Amino acid sequence: MSDHPVTPLDAVMSPARIMALMGEVETAALMEAAGAVALDAFGPIVTYSPKVFIPLTRLCRDVCHYCTFATTPRRMDSPYLEMDEVLSIARAGARQGCREALFTLGDRPEDRYGAARSWLTDHGYDSTLAYVAAAARAVFEETGLLPHLNPGILSPDDYAMLRPHAASMGLMLESSSERLCEKGGPHFGSPDKRPAVRLASIAAAGEAKVPFTSGILIGIGETRFERVEALCALRDLHLRHDHIQEVIVQNFRAKPGTLMAGHADAPLEELLWSIAVARLILPRDVSIQVPPNLQPDALESLIAAGMNDWGGVSPVTADHVNPEAPWPHLATLDEASARAGRILRQRLAIGPRHASEPGKWLDPRLAPSVRRQVDGQGLVRADDWHAGSGLAAPDLILGQQTSPRISRILAGLAGGQEPRREAIATLFTADGGDFSAVVQMADRIRQEAVGSTVTHVVNRNINYTNICLYKCGFCAFSKGSTKALRGPAYRLDLPEISRRAVEAVERGATEVCLQGGIHPDYDGETYLAIVDAVRTAAPSLHIHAFSALEVHHGATTLGLPIEDYLARLKAAGLSTLPGTAAEILDPDVRAIIAPDKVTADQWIQIMRAAHGVGLRSTATIMFGHVDNYTHWTSHLLQVRALQRETGGFTEFVPLPFVHMEAPFWRRGASRSGPTYREAVLMHAVARIVLHPLIPNIQVSWVKMGPDGAAAILDAGANDLGGVLMDESITRAAGGVHGQLFDQPAMARLARSIGRPLRQRTTLYDLLPEEADPSASREHQLERT
């Protein structure tokens, strides 16, 4: 280890200053520092993109002295791939599970070759870039693969033409050295390799809001200082435009038949030094990518040096730029990543950070595809599970090794540290060993707070109307007319509501849950009449009714303050409120998913008022649509703050978004619900963040299914909610669970994880064992 420690770098430090600080530091010390930065920034995840390479043309107007990709017309059957050839390659990739189509090609070959000009004219294109646009559009429309384009130097007009058809684009800077463009240098005779020209093109990509890939090529005659200069130039462009998703650090390999065939390959030591320096110079949100096929025997060392992305790996096509270097098998990358304490994950052609904001970084034609493929951090969904789908809960990758950043956060929280916004958001990224650590801590807290008993309530849902004035983008339950997508519109009259309440009592219910759409004929008196109908017909029932939206509508229509209307509801017999209509307590999210609904502030005010008049309530979150981990964090902290103030929440209920029939998912405006990993983490993180203020975390068996619910009961949850006779809202959204999950089924579920089941009241008082069917020997010992 060097006696010179690695000094943290300022965000705009000059290349000269950086070299002065790093010049005497040994590579091993740089690697150690860079590896720690990568682990802290990206956690244990190492990404790759399953892709096909489409060499649209191998003609190029430049002459790079190390390149075997570019050739001449007389060595080709055709200057360009025909469209059917392009689509054939893309379809083969799609069949093999690829998600990206990488278009590789030379730079504007029609400027140099008549054969290229003739082919383009004969096929109806005025330029190579016009054909690139047409081919990219055809590939996306025919196969769903997301195009990534590497067409060379582009102007602002070029980006405007290509952006509607590309998820991302790329241009290697290679080097910032003008010296390499002089006679005898590797870039002599290639005007497009001028650093100023390339930097201007990369800057134009930023102006055009194009997610971008760039990089450096090491070992072609540049100095270490010139590498640092190039990295600083990319750093500065990204700080200006925020568009660079990854920087490739690629080692030169000499190729026979080129002018540099006798030039020595870049040594591994130089590659590791360059990776580490790149990681230390570049902003933490920029990935460092290293092609695994160019150093197949040093994969773990590459990770240790600070890389976090393997780039594109194809199960179908060769690396046309380095044909001598076959792609490693994915199992090899997986094993090497695991040996380095990392987890291999797929990403799209658009990197995860930019994929999390498709409305900003993608054309509307591409954004829906990206939304539907990614999770809350912009990575490809790791499995096919969806909330409410009925699919079996998938196995998650677990591990023993916890990353330093998660270890620090959990240790701080265990020591009594107040939950902090950035730390909580980081917990939602937990995977592998990090995931295991978060879940285990949540389960320990659950055991300490409420013990091992799994609780439930016997209840009935009465959704008294599905006709609604509001147009929430996530809701497939409400109908604006009888022309409804899933079943007819309806409105129950008071006698039918009373009949169902009586029937609920006869079937053993202790609670009735009343919610519905905001019918245009309803006012505050309607809700009072509904409560009275239930209380008169079934005096013993606990009436759990009315979302914050219904309360707001009732109060507004009567011209009453919220507190006064809630007091009237309580006097009429209302017992508690469900904490629904919360969705995500963030104005930006609500403006998309429910722009005409109660605001986040109004929801908080209504819950505060309810608690103030002696009505307790649940708190919920509906997650996995257009939200992200920062929004989830803000929601949890707002619930925590209100609970500290009022103590009125009985439980916290995460509700994974069921997407199948949701209107805004069908329009391509939302993700496909949370992943299974995210759904489990929401319960675990909620347990950790809300402890000790909210003692009960409920899992929705309707959303998660029995096996998912069982797993979450081992991840911090302690309550299964209600048996839910006649649940209809989730089923309207396409969920297959619902209607009834009876006590014997709940007993089997609890027994499968070695826990006792007990029936509770709405306020979490346990029924005496002699009055609790779920505690009976018959139910506890019933065979699965």
Side-chain angles (χ1 to χ4, degrees), residues 651-778:
E651 71 223 282
F652 183 73
V653 190
L655 301 172
F657 171 53
V658 178
H659 73 282
M660 287 78 84
E661 298 291 349
F664 71 165
W665 180 84
R666 293 171 70 88
R667 296 195 304 267
S670 81
R671 298 199 306 281
S672 301
T675 65
Y676 181 70
R677 180 191 65 83
E678 290 172 326
V680 175
L681 278 174
M682 176 59 78
H683 295 77
V685 174
R687 170 61 76 184
I688 294 169
V689 172
L690 300 177
H691 179 71
L693 299 173
I694 299 181
N696 301 299
I697 305 296
Q698 183 182 121
V699 56
S700 170
W701 58 264
V702 176
K703 306 291 196 294
M704 295 301 304
D707 53 349
I712 287 173
L713 287 170
D714 279 339
N718 65 295
D719 186 73
L720 280 170
V723 298
L724 294 181
M725 309 170 201
D726 301 317
E727 194 285 330
S728 57
I729 295 175
T730 299
R731 287 182 293 119
V736 301
H737 305 296
Q739 286 286 13
L740 182 66
F741 191 52
D742 62 19
Q743 290 170 302
M746 286 189 173
R748 288 194 295 271
L749 189 157
R751 190 168 59 251
S752 73
I753 57 172
R755 304 257 289 278
L757 180 74
R758 290 293 304 277
Q759 184 178 340
R760 61 167 174 85
T761 67
T762 307
L763 295 176
Y764 281 83
D765 294 321
L766 296 181
L767 268 63
E769 289 200 17
E770 61 272 15
D772 181 0
S774 63
S776 71
R777 182 173 179 82
E778 177 185 354

Side-chain angles (χ1 to χ4, degrees), residues 548 562-563 566 579-582 584-586 590 598-612 617 619-620 634-643 645-646 649:
I562 294 292
E563 292 84 352
L566 284 165
T580 48
I584 295 289
L585 297 175
D586 180 271
R590 297 179 82 82
V598 291
T599 67
D601 287 343
Q602 287 173 325
W603 188 91
I604 291 288
Q605 290 164 7
I606 291 168
M607 291 297 110
R608 178 182 287 116
H611 300 167
S617 71
T620 66
S634 176
H635 187 104
L636 287 174
L637 288 177
Q638 289 180 77
V639 169
R640 177 184 170 89
L642 184 58
Q643 180 71 348
E645 175 188 338
T646 69
F649 291 126

